[in-house]
Amino acid sequence: MTSAPLPFACEKHPASGSGGIVVSNHPLGSAAGAEILLSGGNAVDAAVATLLALTVVEPMMVGIAGGGLSHLRLSDGRHVVIDALSTAAASMHAEIYEPVSNEPPDYMEAKGRRNIIGASSVAVPGNLAGWCEMQANYGKLPFADVVEPAIRLAARGFAVTHYLSGAIAEAAGELSQDAEIARILLPGGRAPAPGQRLVMGDYADSLALIQRDGASALHGGPLGAALAARMQTGGGDAGWITEADLRDYRPIERQPIIGSYRGFEIAGPPPPASSGVHVTQMLNMLEGYDLAELGFGSPQSLHLMTEVIRIAFADRQKYSGDPAFVDVPVERLTSKAYAATCREQIRNSAGLPAPRVPGYESHDTTHVTVADRDGNIVSATHTINGLFGARFAVPGTGIIPNNYMSNFDPHPGQALSVQPGKRVPTSMAPMIVMKDGAPVFALGLPGGLRIFPSAMQAIVNLVDHRMSLQEAMEAPRIWTQGQEVEIENAYAPQAAALEALGHEVRVMPHIGGGMNAIAFGETATGAACWRADGTVVALGGGLARPGVRFWPDKAPLDAEEA
């Protein structure tokens, strides 16, 4: 716990247990994972069940036709990152879009918004293939068991939360333009009210196919055929995904980047993710300062944090990319020597703002953190990219595809230009922190470009400011790319001091999305923050002692007693 009073109060409570923990951004997602743990599954089984359930109850954030990253730490100490990020289709090329502008803020937009909405915005999905592969390789239960909670939620329906109702209302204008998604999400022509029951019968049938056939239902089966057929609109909004693209998609197993910070090991995903590289880089820079002495939330601490994030984003812009297409200098960027050079760029006060950086990454994502009693851990961030992805549903399936093509540069000749098979960089940060090789924290969050700087701040809160896990999740955040500085409301009293240091400050209701985490010790503890419907389910207790019966006189005598 921190010694000085904090400028915020926690709104949620953690939960602890020795039998496993599931934390997700929806209570029914967490319940699905807990059900699987209670059925004898491990953390991988539970994480996949949770993610599949979230495709039902958080359809604005995640789906089987999306992409993402899962960071596994197995009970034997191995780390594996499952890269299930979406890719450009084989027939795509750098000139498929007509750019609107060569300058920010419209640099990433294409004419007719063809890279943002509709069939022309859909990239080859990876979520389902990644989930099926990691469950087959590292899970314990039959895959059919893992899918069952999601089928039940879709078939029987669930109560809409305020969060989902608000998301549907926000996107209703575009959702109403597609008859299929409107039929599912806009019953009676309007967003369902909080508490109203939402049933997804077609999607329940799709999940039943997946339960029977696994990933091949989408990647080579009838669901893939339906998705490919929906791409062929016959107009200028047609997409490129084919059945062959879906059959050819493969998740990639990668090794994490492991840095160090004040005696802790920090493990995060490698490129095309930003987090492993740039969280390590930022922490290396901060290691040269006594953050505890500066104090949490002080103007000096916030200024330092802003400068470190600014420098990391400048390097991200220069070096990020899919390692199959771009040479990312990982060893240099994550070295302590390079951090010392970066510290020389930290200014005593802000100068002219950095030029606006072209780039886009959706805020709308979900994150799951799961641990079992045997020492397996999953930290997983997955998405359909934009809110409700491409904002249509594939007829007869209930599937909402991604709009991942909006993350590519619509201009030819650039590092992020469209190329067949290319994955775009992502800010996803499913992180695991260790001490002497043993796990201490696992965490992550949604929030687009604000993800990895927010994950870094949570690690600083835990290590330097000695916050509780719940405090670290709910603590206010700061963010910049080198232009204006965003601060959350709890930091608003420091706005004038930051402006006096030369920063242009914007007070925001929140930065990034709902972070969740698990802390490990004698008993594990889970926590989720106020920025989403985050819910912790922690398991305790267990089965009866072997040999015990309800009536003592019916129990077999111990050999010594006999």
Side-chain angles (χ1 to χ4, degrees):
M1 299 288 287
T2 53
S3 55
L6 293 169
F8 67 95
C10 290
E11 298 182 26
K12 295 187 179 183
H13 297 279
S16 300
S18 59
I21 293 181
V22 182
V23 200
S24 80
N25 282 339
H26 194 288
L28 294 175
S30 299
E35 176 183 333
I36 295 302
L37 288 180
L38 289 167
S39 300
N42 65 12
V44 177
D45 296 314
V48 173
T50 301
L51 288 161
L52 286 166
L54 291 174
T55 69
V56 181
V57 298
E58 269 199 324
M60 67 289 202
M61 300 295 188
V62 66
I64 61 170
L69 298 168
S70 293
H71 181 178
L72 283 55
R73 186 186 191 277
L74 304 173
S75 58
D76 61 9
R78 286 181 294 153
H79 286 254
V80 178
V81 175
I82 309 295
D83 176 346
L85 293 167
S86 298
T87 69
S91 60
M92 290 177 173
H93 54 82
E95 296 180 345
I96 59 175
Y97 301 118
E98 182 181 342
V100 167
S101 172
N102 292 328
E103 301 293 334
D106 300 323
Y107 178 90
M108 293 291 282
E109 286 201 26
K111 186 176 180 180
R113 303 181 72 223
R114 291 181 64 242
N115 62 341
I116 295 175
I117 188 171
S120 57
S121 70
V122 182
V124 182
N127 271 347
L128 181 62
W131 299 341
C132 289
E133 182 170 298
M134 77 185 214
Q135 196 277 332
N137 290 342
Y138 304 107
K140 289 173 59 179
L141 294 181
F143 180 67
D145 294 2
V146 172
V147 189
E148 189 63 32
I151 295 174
R152 189 169 62 244
L153 287 168
R156 297 181 59 185
F158 61 95
V160 171
T161 65
H162 285 269
Y163 200 76
L164 174 56
S165 177
I168 295 173
E170 179 184 330
E174 289 181 340
L175 296 177
S176 65
Q177 301 304 305
D178 179 72
E180 190 71 12
I181 201 169
R183 181 178 63 81
I184 299 166
L185 297 177
L186 296 168
R190 62 177 62 88
Q196 185 174 336
R197 197 163 192 84
L198 189 62
V199 176
M200 298 183 178
D202 286 346
Y203 190 53
D205 292 340
S206 294
L207 288 168
L209 275 175
I210 291 166
Q211 185 181 48
R212 186 190 73 189
D213 298 339
S216 64
L218 179 63
H219 296 270
L223 300 182
L227 174 58
R230 178 60 177 80
M231 296 291 101
Q232 308 307 311
T233 66
D237 62 343
W240 288 269
I241 309 301
T242 67
E243 291 184 70
D245 289 317
L246 293 165
R247 283 195 302 271
D248 292 344
Y249 180 87
R250 296 291 183 275
I252 299 174
E253 284 201 5
R254 302 188 190 272
Q255 289 303 303
I257 291 170
I258 300 181
S260 65
Y261 184 64
R262 307 198 199 281
F264 291 83
E265 299 93 49
I266 315 295
S274 301
S275 51
V277 170
H278 296 297
V279 169
T280 299
Q281 179 191 8
M282 290 186 289
L283 292 174
N284 284 345
M285 284 188 269
L286 291 171
E287 208 166 30
Y289 300 87
D290 189 341
L291 297 182
E293 180 65 26
L294 287 176
F296 174 79
S298 68
Q300 297 80 9
S301 176
L302 293 176
H303 171 73
L304 177 61
M305 203 68 67
T306 299
E307 287 293 286
V308 165
I309 296 170
R310 174 185 66 83
I311 293 166
F313 262 109
D315 280 343
R316 183 183 189 271
Q317 173 64 18
K318 289 180 193 174
Y319 301 116
S320 288
D322 182 339
F325 295 83
V326 178
D327 183 14
V328 183
V330 171
E331 289 188 14
R332 182 164 72 89
L333 292 172
T334 58
S335 70
K336 301 291 186 182
Y338 184 69
T341 301
C342 291
R343 279 195 288 270
E344 296 173 2
Q345 303 174 44
I346 293 174
R347 305 167 297 183
N348 292 325
S349 60
L352 294 174
R356 293 209 168 268
V357 176
Y360 173 80
E361 199 170 326
S362 169
H363 302 180
D364 305 302
T365 308
T366 201
H367 182 80
V368 169
T369 315
V370 183
D372 61 32
R373 64 168 68 242
D374 297 321
N376 298 293
I377 302 166
V378 179
S379 179
T381 312
H382 290 265
T383 186
I384 48 174
N385 199 47
L387 193 71
F388 298 105
R391 299 198 172 181
F392 70 86
V394 178
T397 70
I399 295 171
I400 301 172
N402 69 81
N403 67 339
Y404 241 113
M405 294 310 298
S406 61
N407 287 17
F408 286 93
D409 191 330
H411 301 76
Q414 305 301 313
L416 299 185
S417 296
V418 178
Q419 287 181 263
K422 181 186 280 186
R423 288 159 155 86
V424 291
T426 178
S427 294
M428 293 176 179
M431 308 297 292
I432 298 177
V433 179
M434 296 161 290
K435 180 80 169 179
D436 299 326
V440 183
F441 307 110
L443 60 90
L445 73 154
L449 293 170
R450 291 155 182 79
I451 293 177
F452 72 92
S454 297
M456 176 273 291
Q457 292 170 69
I459 293 169
V460 167
N461 291 339
L462 291 163
V463 173
D464 291 286
H465 300 302
R466 303 181 65 81
M467 289 187 188
S468 70
L469 189 68
Q470 190 67 47
E471 290 167 343
M473 295 301 97
E474 302 209 33
R477 302 171 188 165
I478 189 167
W479 182 82
T480 187
Q481 284 192 87
Q483 298 87 39
E484 69 273 6
V485 176
E486 296 181 0
I487 60 173
E488 288 188 340
N489 286 320
Y491 282 149
Q494 305 293 3
L498 287 171
E499 287 168 348
L501 288 169
H503 297 288
E504 179 186 341
V505 178
R506 294 179 62 198
V507 179
M508 306 292 288
H510 65 88
I511 292 170
M515 186 181 294
N516 59 61
I518 298 175
F520 302 93
E522 290 186 10
T523 300
T525 298
C529 81
W530 53 268
R531 298 170 185 87
D533 294 331
T535 304
V536 185
V537 176
L539 307 183
L543 303 178
R545 184 186 300 170
V548 168
R549 298 293 182 270
F550 183 74
W551 295 104
D553 61 342
K554 299 293 179 82
L557 293 176
D558 184 85
E560 291 183 2
E561 295 175 349

